[in-house]
Amino acid sequence: MDKKIKQLRLVLRNCGFIDPENIDEAIARDAYLSMGKVITEMHPAEAIKIVKESGLRGRGGGGFPTGLKWEFACNNKADRKYVVCNADEGDPGAFMDRSVLEGDPHSVIEAMAICAYCIGAGEGLIYIRAEYPLAIKRLKTAIAQAREYGLLGKNILGTGFSFDIELRYGAGAFVCGEETALIHSMEGLRGEPTVKPPFPAESGYHGKPTNVNNVETLACIPVIFSKGADWFSKIGTERSKGTKVFALAGKVNNVGLVEVPMGTSLREVIFEIGGGINNDRKFKAVQTGGPSGGCLTEEHLDTPIDFDNLIEAGSMMGSGGMIVMDEDDCMVSVAKFYLDFTVEESCGKCAPCRIGNKRLYELLDHICKGKGDMADLDRLRNMSEVIKDTALCGLGQTSPNPVLSTLDNFYDEYLAHVMDKKCPAGQCRGLMEFFIIEENCVGCTACARVCPVNAIAGERKEPHKINKGICIKCGACMEKCKFDAIIIQ
Amino acid sequence: MKRLESYDDLRKLRNETREKISSYSDPKNAANRVIIRVGMGTSGIASGATQVLEFFREALRKRNIDAEVLMSGDMGYSYAEPTVQVTRPGTPPLVFGDVDTHRADEIIEKYIRQGEPVDGVIPVDYLTIEEI
């Protein structure tokens, strides 16, 4: 492989190259051929073996071996079974699944049909958030066109195998990406998770064996059958095979989708493909895994990205959001941002997640406002560990990760907040003080007039002063001053 | 559309469509006519890809240039939307980033008509599954 080319488009093989609303273009690029091969020439067990041999692991975050999941669903006998595509992409900053559905919906439809054949399902459901109207429209078009060709429906390609797909819309609740909550939501119940076991493979949608796979996982399936398990398992690292799509966002020059073989380093993704940090600022951290992940630092930049390495480094693969931060980002605020998200998205069923995360958020807020002390840092860690161990589902069990990883990797910054009452990145307003530099101040009174609490006093044409006791640190004076006389410290 | 009754039907359709379409849907092979593909995913549309697509259709028709204007999903270059892939006969496709109607005009007049280079080409920085 050419050393300079880092990306490999496997999941994104057709994105950008076909018209997603014209099935002929997809077929010209081999769509449905793998399905045709599997349902006419293979026994389900044979096909599942190929998926197992490929080493494919779930791309939604957990990294569970896909072939094994299919085998479980296949082995559970029932009159009806279901294949579900999890398109409830909810991590802040992640848009991989949306791009696949908008650019190449047929790859997902084809993979669902293959899965249905393998596990013995007749119906498929795509759980997609209503916030993705374009993806929904293109999926509907794609499903309708596939039906017209008889690639979905009864007696597909004359083999006697029947399978059809319907869409189910989610209202955008993050917890519904968890498979049990997702199934409840599809059943019309509240989107709350339940304890596993029973796993959906035994008792899922309406109590029937159900196989839930993420969009990106499914998009790999047709390639595994067209190129072979052997070919696929040669890409990637020992325990993580294939490629991973990342949505690169934040303070990086080339924001967008990146697809690299597993084992590529964070440095290669951020600095070579991503083009480095905006405005030549200094790299500080990269957040992977969304609200369930953690922040990795400079020392992790050369870690090869795969499921196990990221967990070892204190983060996780997650669904593929990758947010790059520079020296201007305050890590305590970043942890607070993710906790804010988790508190908002917690379904409220279990106490550790409902109450614990709220308390974590309050502690972080306290620290950001300069009211924290050393005992708060211990409290943060203890509470995080308790939540991790006791929460019901993946959302709660992973929600303290942003706190723990920033405590581990950026303890100095927490110390600066609680001991010196300073925010090194200059983000926490509560820890700043506004000053007027006398030499620069011409006494124009603009700042005094804009101050909402009348904290600035001074005679015309004389240097002004800010009364720290009254100042609410809104920054309005600094924006107004034309002479750069107001600074933050 | 005709219902496909067998795997052979599907393979036959694949070969037919491939002949008809692959010339312009293959990312790395040359086409025999001018093909323009506008990235119309959510980020593309949000950046104005719809207007760019309309402009290409209008302008090429008015200027009598034989070309096919098509859409696609996002190409992944969110930092440079709208993105447009242009294929001139006999040359591999080029992807242009940050294409507004002004840039589109430049691409038609300089690159498509005369083959002269135009700024804003996004280099191909990936391998396809056929290549490994």
Side-chain angles (χ1 to χ4, degrees), chain A residues 7 30 102 138 154 257, chain B residues 3 14 40 42 76 79 127:
Chain A
Q7 296 203 68
D30 295 349
E102 284 175 4
R138 292 199 177 149
K154 290 210 163 30
L257 290 178
Chain B
R3 198 184 145 88
R14 197 275 302 244
M40 295 276 283
T42 294
Y79 62 96
L127 294 171

Side-chain angles (χ1 to χ4, degrees), chain B:
Chain B
M1 282 188 208
K2 204 177 121 273
R3 198 184 145 88
L4 306 170
E5 298 296 345
S6 68
Y7 185 29
D8 279 338
D9 277 3
L10 174 63
R11 276 187 291 205
K12 227 173 84 197
L13 177 69
R14 197 275 302 244
N15 294 339
E16 283 167 22
T17 51
R18 177 162 278 205
E19 209 147 286
K20 202 171 83 196
I21 291 168
S22 76
S23 61
Y24 60 77
S25 67
D26 193 329
K28 292 195 175 171
N29 280 334
N32 46 22
R33 58 192 296 218
V34 177
I35 308 293
I36 291 159
R37 206 178 265 281
V38 183
M40 295 276 283
T42 294
S43 30
I45 291 171
S47 316
T50 318
Q51 289 85 331
V52 173
L53 184 97
E54 286 302 313
F55 178 84
F56 270 114
R57 286 213 170 118
E58 272 291 304
L60 292 166
R61 193 175 49 82
K62 278 190 189 151
R63 298 174 203 182
N64 284 323
I65 298 173
D66 177 34
E68 188 104 40
V69 183
L70 302 159
M71 66 166 213
S72 73
D74 275 337
M75 302 176 195
Y77 311 110
S78 311
Y79 62 96
E81 295 285 359
T83 45
V84 176
Q85 189 193 67
V86 183
T87 315
R88 295 180 76 234
T91 41
L94 288 182
V95 175
F96 294 89
D98 296 308
V99 181
D100 53 13
T101 49
H102 179 75
R103 295 281 316 280
D105 183 65
E106 200 186 342
I107 290 169
I108 296 173
E109 290 306 317
K110 282 197 180 155
Y111 182 66
I112 295 178
R113 270 197 206 274
Q114 297 160 36
E116 281 176 30
V118 172
D119 284 346
V121 174
I122 300 174
V124 176
D125 60 348
Y126 57 85
L127 294 171
T128 64
I129 52 173
E130 284 80 23
E131 289 172 291
I132 65 162

